[in-house]
């Protein structure tokens, strides 16, 4: 890991820590639901209406 990568990681962790202390955090379930929805939207754009079923 380069020095710049380490600096970026520290910055991300500090922001995350501040957000948690401020009550701005999400449960694992909320995060998974958000990511599932984004993945669905992405797939929908890529294959049109054939998202959940084979075309």
């Amino acid at each position: 890991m380069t020095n710049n990568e380490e600096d970026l990681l520290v910055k991300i962790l500090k922001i995350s820590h501040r957000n948690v202390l401020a009550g701005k955090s999400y449960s694992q379930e909320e995060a998974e639901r958000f990511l599932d929805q984004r993945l669905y939207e992405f797939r929908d754009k890529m294959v049109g209406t054939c998202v959940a079923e084979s075309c």
Side-chain angles (χ1 to χ4, degrees), residues 16-24:
S16 178
H17 182 69
R18 276 196 308 268
N19 286 341
V20 168
L21 291 178
K24 299 176 184 176

Side-chain angles (χ1 to χ4, degrees), residues 4-55:
N4 190 40
E5 290 172 328
E6 289 176 9
D7 291 343
L8 289 173
L9 180 58
V10 168
K11 189 174 189 175
I12 290 167
L13 291 173
K14 284 181 178 180
I15 291 169
S16 178
H17 182 69
R18 276 196 308 268
N19 286 341
V20 168
L21 291 178
K24 299 176 184 176
S25 61
Y26 300 96
S27 70
Q28 182 70 27
E29 183 180 326
E30 291 171 313
E32 289 175 2
R33 193 170 35 241
F34 172 78
L35 292 174
D36 286 345
Q37 181 61 36
R38 292 300 303 258
L39 181 59
Y40 180 83
E41 292 169 2
F42 176 73
R43 286 182 181 162
D44 192 40
K45 288 179 184 177
M46 299 305 290
V47 289
T49 58
C50 300
V51 177
E53 301 175 17
S54 61
C55 297

